[in-house]
Each structure stands twice: as C-alpha cells, then as structure tokens.
Amino acid sequence: MIVVCGESLIDFLPVSVDAGETAYRPFPGGSPYNVAIATARLDAPTAFLGKISSDAFGDLLAGTLSQNGVDLRWLARGPELTTLAFVTAAPGEEPRYAFYAEGAADRMVAETDIPDTFPPDVTCLHVGFGAVTPDVDPVSRRWEALADREADQRIVSFDPNVRPNMVADKQAYLKRLEGWVDRATMIKVSSADLRWLYPGTAPERAAETWCGRGPKLVVMTRGAYGAMAWGHRVEAEVNGARVEVVDTVGAGDTFQGALLVGLAERGLLTRDGLDSATKGDLEDVMGFATRAAAVNCTRAGMDPPRRSELR
C-alpha cells in the first residue's frame, strides 16, 4: 500500500460562460490529494493521511477520495475551513495559484492524527507540498517527524511542488526543503521548480546534486519534453507524449502517482529495488508515468487516467 500524506484543497479553475465571461468552477485538489487519486485509479492500494474540513467542501474532498477507492482509515476531519486555490494559466505557461489557506484544516494536523504504526503492507509514504510549504508549522514538523520515524522501514517519497507565491523567506524555505532532500528515499521535482530554487544552475546539475545527497532516485519532469532520472549508478531519459492539451493542472501529480505505481509493479519500490533499477527499468517507468500525465492534460482540471486508458 502507498500512503499519501499532506494537503487537500479546492481548486477553482476558470471556465467560459455566457457571452465569453469567465467563471470559476470548483475541483477537488491539492498535490498529495491528487497523487492519491492518481495511484488509486491505477489500481494500486492507496490510503490518504491528512486532515479535511467538516464543511461542504470537505465532504466533497472526502467523498471524491472514497469514490476513487482511496482508503480513508487515516483521514481526520475537523471544524477548520477548507483551503481554496484560484488557478490561472496563460497558454504555454505554468499554472499560477492564489491560495486562501490561513488556519485551514489541512494545516492543522495534530500529533494525535498521525498513527503510531503502519501495517506491514505499507511499502511507501509519499509526502507532497504546495499550498502547505515545507516551512509551514506545525504541520510540516508533523510530516518531518513521520518521515524520520518511518525512513528505515519503508520508502519515503517526496515532491516539493514549489509555489513561489507562498514563500515569504526563500532562504528559510530552502533550508527546510533541503532537509527533505536529505531524508527522502526518492524525489520527483520539476525543472521549473529547480530553476526557481537554484537560479543560474542548470536543472540537470541541481537534480544530480540532490541525488548525491542521499536519495536513491531523483526524477525531474520537463513538461512536454519528458523526464530524466538519476540513480546512484544509472541515468535515464524519456521524451514527452504528444497530445492536444486542454490544461496542465495536475499533470505533475498524475506523473508522480504513476511513477510510484510503475515502480511498485516492477518490485522496485524498495531500497534494494531502487538500488538495482536499470536504465531500461527507469525508462519504462517514466514512460508509463509520462503517458498517464499526457492523458490528464487532455482534460480539464485534475483528471488522471484509469488503468484501462493506458493499455
């Protein structure tokens, strides 16, 4: 089982209505929330660990997880409001987000909301950020403590999912983020994230540097140009898939979910498995993840494919 930890929110996406006016339609979202949906749709046993509001938006979030087959045994509910995100994107540009998140439920995970132990079938913990950044406490401390506790027993996967407009102090943010680089077993990061984090450094060099700090696998997505991966003894690269793009919201999260599923299905989602992965293994897994992300891009909002759509 893959346990996905982190935020959940409502994305308001622009839609055209009468006379070409723009309105905003709500969609369940949040990077780790999206990853949980993506892995579950690919038939991987998946659970979500986090806190969701008891308001109407929270009901929508919890209901959508359940409808997609995500295990909710570690889902906490609370009276705090749901985080809201308004999304805008110009053609050819990365989506931009405006978050309304202060005191929201997904930022108020309590120590008692974290299970003391996991059953043996939990092979991977995935921790993702976004509206909740690595320097937002106390919730970020909860995820750090959980990852440190579990790192010797199962894979810890990490996606920084950088949101520059949420970062008040870049140096403090970078210090906390690099703490995750040091503790994670594997990382997925976009080239756009690395350019913002390390201006003046080629994203490929930054990703290689991260791999040298301890993770057994670092995967860098490059949008329409595909993805690259670095292990301790192997490198790999795949091209992007050509599709008619409707929007790119959730594409990285779909890639992340499919990446975890692809590794798990090949017996590689373990420390020994990542150590033994070949160039061909990584090409196959990234190709699978790239196809899944491409399907998501042909639809409005986060809408990852089911297994039958990738056969």
Side-chain angles (χ1 to χ4, degrees):
M1 173 179 282
I2 297 168
V3 177
V4 183
C5 312
E7 70 185 42
S8 59
L9 52 83
I10 297 295
D11 281 324
F12 283 88
L13 302 181
V15 296
S16 181
V17 293
D18 295 341
E21 295 292 332
T22 298
Y24 283 84
R25 178 182 171 189
F27 290 87
S31 178
Y33 181 95
N34 291 341
V35 172
I37 299 289
T39 57
R41 285 194 179 183
L42 293 174
D43 301 330
T46 305
F48 184 77
L49 172 58
K51 190 171 188 179
I52 287 178
S53 175
S54 55
D55 65 13
F57 286 135
D59 291 342
L60 174 60
L61 289 164
T64 302
L65 287 173
S66 182
Q67 291 162 15
N68 282 279
V70 178
D71 190 324
L72 302 186
R73 76 180 83 173
W74 296 303
L75 179 67
R77 301 293 297 270
E80 302 87 358
L81 296 177
T82 298
T83 295
L84 306 180
F86 286 81
V87 186
T88 58
E93 294 184 1
E94 292 284 323
R96 292 182 297 169
Y97 295 80
F99 293 102
Y100 299 84
E102 189 67 30
D106 56 349
R107 295 182 171 215
M108 303 302 290
V109 177
E111 188 173 353
T112 53
D113 295 327
I114 305 295
D116 293 331
T117 60
F118 292 103
D121 66 332
V122 173
T123 57
C124 174
L125 293 178
H126 172 72
V127 179
F129 290 94
V132 174
T133 60
D135 57 343
V136 172
D137 291 321
V139 64
S140 294
R141 297 288 186 196
R142 302 270 186 262
W143 301 135
E144 288 171 352
L146 176 64
D148 291 341
R149 190 189 81 187
E150 299 294 325
D152 291 336
Q153 304 177 65
R154 47 190 53 87
I155 293 292
V156 174
S157 167
F158 172 61
D159 180 2
N161 200 39
V162 177
R163 296 284 181 254
N165 63 320
M166 298 295 292
V167 177
D169 181 336
K170 184 174 180 179
Q171 290 307 308
Y173 172 89
L174 187 59
K175 181 178 180 180
R176 293 287 290 276
L177 185 149
E178 289 182 338
W180 279 98
V181 174
D182 295 337
R183 63 168 55 87
T185 322
M186 60 174 285
I187 300 171
K188 191 277 288 182
V189 63
S190 74
S191 57
D193 287 348
L194 289 172
R195 286 191 187 95
W196 185 83
L197 291 168
Y198 305 106
T201 300
E204 295 82 0
R205 302 290 79 76
E208 285 183 302
T209 299
W210 277 13
C211 190
R213 293 180 64 152
K216 293 182 178 293
L217 178 66
V218 174
V219 176
M220 183 184 75
T221 57
R222 302 183 296 163
Y225 299 101
M228 302 176 71
W230 293 264
H232 287 179
R233 296 191 301 271
V234 65
E235 296 180 11
E237 181 176 357
V238 297
N239 294 323
R242 293 183 177 273
V243 294
E244 191 70 29
V245 175
V246 173
D247 73 42
T248 60
V249 172
D253 301 326
T254 297
F255 182 99
Q256 175 73 74
L259 178 70
L260 294 173
V261 172
L263 290 168
E265 291 180 344
R266 290 163 178 77
L268 302 175
L269 199 57
T270 65
R271 289 181 173 277
D272 289 344
L274 292 178
D275 274 336
S276 65
T278 66
K279 181 174 183 286
D281 288 332
L282 296 180
E283 289 173 344
D284 287 347
V285 171
M286 289 193 297
F288 176 69
T290 297
R291 293 195 300 276
V295 172
N296 182 86
C297 288
T298 66
R299 309 194 278 226
M302 170 68 182
D303 189 6
R306 300 185 185 277
R307 172 71 65 174
S308 60
E309 297 179 85
L310 296 178
R311 291 197 177 105

